[in-house]
Amino acid sequence: MVQNVAGGKAKPVEEEVITEDNVFDKPDETMGFFPGQVLKDGWVALFLLIACVVMSYAIPAPLSEPANTAAVDYVPRPEWFFFFYEQMLMFFPGYTLIAFGAVVVPTVFIVLMFAVPWLDREPVYSPLKRPFAVIVGVLILIVVVLNMLLAVSRIINFPEG
Amino acid sequence: MVELQKDRITRGDFLSFGFIGAVMGAILTIPPAAFVLSPVIKTNVLGQSDVSQDWQMVGPIDDVPDGEPIVIEVDFPIDQIYGNNEVQEQFPDTQKSNEEFAVRSAIWLSWQDGQRPEELQGINGSLTQEQRQLAEENLNILSNICAHLGCPVRWVIVEGEGEFLCPCHGGIYDINGGYIGGPPPRGMFRYPVREVREDGNLYIRHEFDDEDGIPGLTTTRPHVV
Amino acid sequence: MVDWMEDRTGIVTQLEHFLYEPVPKRGAWLYTLGSATLFLIVLQFLTGILLLFYYVPTTDHAWNSVYYIMNEAYFGQLIRGIHYWSANFLLAVIGLHMARTFFSGSYKAPREWNWITGVILLLLVIGLAFTGYLLRWDQDGFWASVVGIKIGSYSPFIGGYVANFLLGGDVAGPATLARFFAIHVWLLPAALAPFIGIHLYLLRRHGEFGNQFEYTDRLAKLHEQQRLEEYARYELDGEEDGAEEDGRNGEDRENGRYSDRE
């Protein structure tokens, strides 16, 4: 187990012989959560807050016309993080496939996501040593990104927006 | 740390826990569930609707042109929460909101295949029984809610041919609302309950030609309007 | 004063325990993604509470009240802007946080529950994003919600129930907005908070060192040492058992690593 180092400063360790038993006893180099990590977290938080403030005035939060169920010339578009899902809906026509693609596949995906720790039980951590998990992860990323790009191009190319 | 004291659970204790759990469980789950699910119970189980089932006037059928559809907005009064009719009637003279709530539906009207029947050309004045029946049979009364995922469909002219296009995922329907292409599973929703009255006005009720999707698995309704 | 607080609450020890825990130095910037998520969620809670001072969840007033916030209320544009933009950033940061966790294998034993609570949090945030969109009662939010409700209506067996549950009836109207409001403002945040607590508690319990990455130098030293030993033995014994030894070593290392974590 990692030993708590009182006072936040690591004592200089005498030259230690690393064996298979103690290699994971402590990591390479640590720092105290405070101030080291807290400071880094603080910088990121500050950056995000400033980004939010700048964006609030640069691109104000949108508010389009009041909702109208009787619209005929309005083009509904999802938020960007649903683009890939929305694009996938294009590929599933008809009753069976819509139910399959829009509901069943995402549900199965969510269940698989919960099961990830049990699907990949190999006690190795490095991405290089578990190619299968990494390939699956990268494939999912590629599918998501490609679908997002397809959705964006479809939205851009839609006549009269 | 205080030492833990693990007393044995007697039969009486066990039954008492069971009783407390059952009573509290029943009071804290059944009424809240029914409270939250009451719309589901009313609509899905009892088959009631929030929408008024009265006849609503759409407009004069003489306005429906040849070869292309027109869109007409119809307000169907609805009865939800603060728009509930009985609630609205309480203390009508105070500042309390009495606003009527309605779901505004865009309805596409067109003649069958875009052709107005001969007998209905240049109608004015009152219609005969035959003319009214002919009009009822030959009018397409379509909801603007796409049968795929509910986006509002529009009328577009592509290479000289008119068609209904859904802007979301590219569902295409013909002038009769029939399915042509894209992901929708069926044609546009129609209002089958219709009546053309003697003065030449079209009236409809809020009903749709629901159909089974995958029999036993899914049904389709416009759901939103 | 400090002593008195310590005696009555034990807070000083707790704080020291909390603040001076050793954390990885190598991947420090990677590990800010989680705290960034937490920060953005806190921003959501704060600005969300503020928006409720003016927002009215009725179909005839919702749009007006949002318009008022944007154009009349002091700093309304900023408060709603932070709510909107931090929600967008939140989803992006959660994506990065998940990708980091996945590719570094940080979900492995004993951290299964960290991952599971993480997935639950992700689903809750997606639910919040979906329900929040309708509250403006503008065209964008309304039609996106229509599509969402229609997707729900295709669920096998329960489609009609799902759609009418979300609509609060069989058409979109006052009940729909009231429901989405209740879900967005109370139900999901109330569910979110305890899972954040569990997620953080588990993080503290199992520590941040879930990744071989943090042991790179030590592992390199070990391998170097083993290689030297191997070499020495090879010199002494002759050629035959070199490869075999190597395989066994690797296995041992991983087993040792695994039991070490329990």
Side-chain angles (χ1 to χ4, degrees):
Chain A
M1 270 316 285
V2 176
Q3 287 299 307
N4 196 346
V5 186
K9 259 204 159 160
K11 279 179 251 157
V13 189
E14 285 110 65
E15 198 55 44
E16 176 195 20
V17 182
I18 298 175
T19 65
E20 279 153 21
D21 291 333
N22 73 5
V23 61
F24 288 112
D25 279 3
K26 65 186 184 52
D28 286 343
E29 202 181 347
T30 59
M31 59 180 177
F33 178 66
F34 179 86
Q37 186 72 37
V38 174
L39 198 62
K40 287 196 160 61
D41 290 344
W43 280 117
V44 172
L46 180 68
F47 169 76
L48 285 169
L49 183 58
I50 289 176
C52 285
V53 173
V54 171
M55 293 305 271
S56 309
Y57 288 103
I59 307 174
L63 179 67
S64 52
E65 286 168 36
N68 176 15
T69 42
V72 282
D73 49 8
Y74 177 75
V75 185
R77 292 294 174 225
E79 291 160 289
W80 62 269
F81 43 83
F82 284 135
F83 273 178
F84 76 97
Y85 178 51
E86 204 234 2
Q87 180 65 27
M88 273 170 36
L89 300 174
M90 301 275 294
F91 307 135
F92 297 102
Y95 283 120
T96 320
L97 283 180
I98 293 171
F100 178 76
V103 183
V104 176
V105 168
T107 309
V108 170
F109 184 76
I110 288 167
V111 171
L112 284 180
M113 231 159 50
F114 276 113
V116 158
W118 288 274
L119 295 176
D120 175 20
R121 302 181 59 142
E122 290 291 303
V124 286
Y125 287 71
S126 166
L128 300 174
K129 288 190 180 138
R130 28 187 209 107
F132 183 71
V134 170
I135 287 170
V136 171
V138 170
L139 276 180
I140 291 172
L141 277 186
I142 288 174
V143 168
V144 168
V145 171
L146 268 184
N147 271 307
M148 274 179 132
L149 292 177
L150 279 174
V152 170
S153 86
R154 178 168 55 91
I155 286 166
I156 290 172
N157 291 323
F158 190 80
E160 90 217 74
Chain B
M1 256 307 194
V2 187
E3 190 103 342
L4 297 177
Q5 184 178 347
K6 293 189 176 170
D7 286 343
R8 216 170 54 78
I9 298 172
T10 64
R11 197 179 119 86
D13 290 343
F14 183 78
L15 289 176
S16 301
F17 277 124
F19 178 74
I20 295 169
V23 173
M24 283 180 68
I27 294 173
L28 293 180
T29 55
I30 297 171
F35 181 78
V36 170
L37 295 177
S38 62
V40 178
I41 298 167
K42 280 180 188 159
T43 55
N44 294 79
V45 181
L46 303 178
Q48 297 168 3
S49 175
D50 295 341
V51 189
S52 161
Q53 293 301 306
D54 299 338
W55 289 102
Q56 303 294 331
M57 192 177 92
V58 180
I61 57 168
D62 201 30
D63 289 354
V64 183
D66 270 330
E68 61 171 356
I70 54 163
V71 64
I72 293 176
E73 289 180 4
V74 178
D75 281 352
F76 292 99
I78 55 171
D79 194 359
Q80 279 181 348
I81 316 189
Y82 39 85
N84 180 287
N85 293 337
E86 279 162 38
V87 176
Q88 298 278 40
E89 283 157 17
Q90 310 296 319
F91 298 100
D93 301 328
T94 58
Q95 275 199 332
K96 178 180 71 65
S97 160
N98 297 320
E99 199 183 327
E100 297 266 322
F101 288 85
V103 58
R104 178 164 297 174
S105 306
I107 291 169
W108 286 104
L109 283 183
S110 65
W111 295 108
Q112 189 74 29
D113 299 323
Q115 309 246 317
R116 184 198 288 234
E118 285 289 320
E119 296 84 340
L120 294 173
Q121 302 286 2
I123 40 174
N124 45 15
S126 64
L127 274 70
T128 65
Q129 184 65 34
E130 288 80 46
Q131 278 177 317
R132 285 160 55 191
Q133 199 177 345
L134 192 69
E136 282 167 21
E137 282 165 6
N138 278 284
L139 270 176
N140 297 308
I141 309 169
L142 308 167
S143 163
N144 77 323
I145 296 294
C146 178
H148 181 221
L149 292 175
C151 298
V153 297
R154 56 184 61 199
W155 179 253
V156 293
I157 311 284
V158 179
E159 293 162 8
E161 286 280 310
E163 64 190 25
F164 287 108
L165 171 71
C166 172
C168 282
H169 304 93
I172 303 171
Y173 310 89
D174 62 24
I175 194 167
N176 301 325
Y179 170 80
I180 295 181
R186 50 164 283 169
M188 290 161 75
F189 290 104
R190 311 173 74 87
Y191 292 84
V193 185
R194 54 186 68 183
E195 198 174 275
V196 178
R197 303 211 172 145
E198 280 163 20
D199 55 3
N201 280 323
L202 174 68
Y203 286 74
I204 57 172
R205 285 213 304 222
H206 190 268
E207 263 176 52
F208 297 97
D209 60 335
D210 305 342
E211 62 176 59
D212 276 349
I214 312 166
L217 270 180
T218 59
T219 54
T220 55
R221 300 200 66 239
H223 280 298
V224 183
V225 296
Chain C
M1 179 63 186
V2 172
D3 287 345
W4 183 82
M5 279 301 281
E6 168 66 10
D7 184 52
R8 295 301 190 277
T9 62
I11 193 155
V12 179
T13 324
Q14 288 297 317
L15 262 181
E16 280 194 344
H17 203 77
F18 173 72
L19 288 177
Y20 297 128
E21 186 186 299
V23 296
K25 188 164 188 183
R26 186 186 295 277
W29 288 108
L30 274 178
Y31 298 117
T32 57
L33 286 170
S35 77
T37 312
L38 179 64
F39 175 70
L40 290 170
I41 290 177
V42 171
L43 279 185
Q44 289 288 304
F45 272 91
L46 287 178
T47 50
I49 290 169
L50 291 175
L51 288 172
L52 286 181
F53 277 76
Y54 295 106
Y55 177 73
V56 180
T58 64
T59 49
D60 44 350
H61 297 125
W63 190 90
N64 292 20
S65 62
V66 178
Y67 191 86
Y68 175 83
I69 290 170
M70 287 302 279
N71 293 287
E72 303 292 330
Y74 290 154
F75 286 109
Q77 198 181 348
L78 179 68
I79 301 299
R80 184 163 170 254
I82 293 178
H83 199 70
Y84 173 81
W85 281 107
S86 63
N88 279 286
F89 292 148
L90 181 59
L91 281 141
V93 172
I94 285 181
L96 293 175
H97 184 52
M98 274 195 95
R100 201 276 295 155
T101 309
F102 182 82
F103 288 113
S104 67
S106 307
Y107 49 79
K108 288 163 185 277
R111 293 186 181 74
E112 293 97 331
W113 280 102
N114 290 58
W115 175 263
I116 289 180
T117 48
V119 175
I120 293 172
L121 286 169
L122 171 75
L123 296 178
L124 290 174
V125 168
I126 289 175
L128 280 161
F130 173 64
T131 49
Y133 208 11
L134 182 74
L135 300 189
R136 309 177 201 164
W137 207 249
D138 67 350
Q139 287 283 69
D140 290 349
F142 180 80
W143 288 103
S145 305
V146 165
V147 173
I149 291 167
K150 283 283 283 186
I151 288 173
S153 80
Y154 283 100
S155 313
F157 301 112
I158 53 166
Y161 299 92
V162 170
N164 287 1
F165 171 75
L166 289 173
L167 286 169
D170 56 355
V171 287
T176 317
L177 184 55
R179 253 154 215 249
F180 275 58
F181 178 74
I183 294 171
H184 183 79
V185 172
W186 272 111
L187 185 67
L188 294 181
L192 196 71
F195 280 107
I196 292 173
I198 298 170
H199 199 69
L200 292 179
Y201 164 74
L202 289 170
L203 170 74
R204 279 285 157 173
R205 182 181 160 81
H206 297 305
E208 287 86 344
F209 302 99
N211 191 341
Q212 222 145 317
F213 181 59
E214 301 299 343
Y215 304 84
T216 313
D217 288 350
R218 289 171 68 88
L219 279 169
K221 268 188 208 159
L222 176 70
H223 292 160
E224 178 64 19
Q225 207 170 300
Q226 279 174 341
R227 211 169 54 79
L228 287 175
E229 277 170 21
E230 209 67 44
Y231 193 62
R233 206 175 306 146
Y234 179 79
E235 296 257 287
L236 284 174
D237 293 358
E239 55 264 303
E240 91 254 66
D241 46 12
E244 195 187 308
E245 281 290 306
D246 208 277
R248 201 181 61 76
N249 278 345
E251 203 177 284
D252 260 11
R253 192 182 71 233
E254 274 150 20
N255 288 345
R257 163 102 185 79
Y258 191 62
S259 56
D260 183 57
R261 291 283 108 198
E262 310 216 277

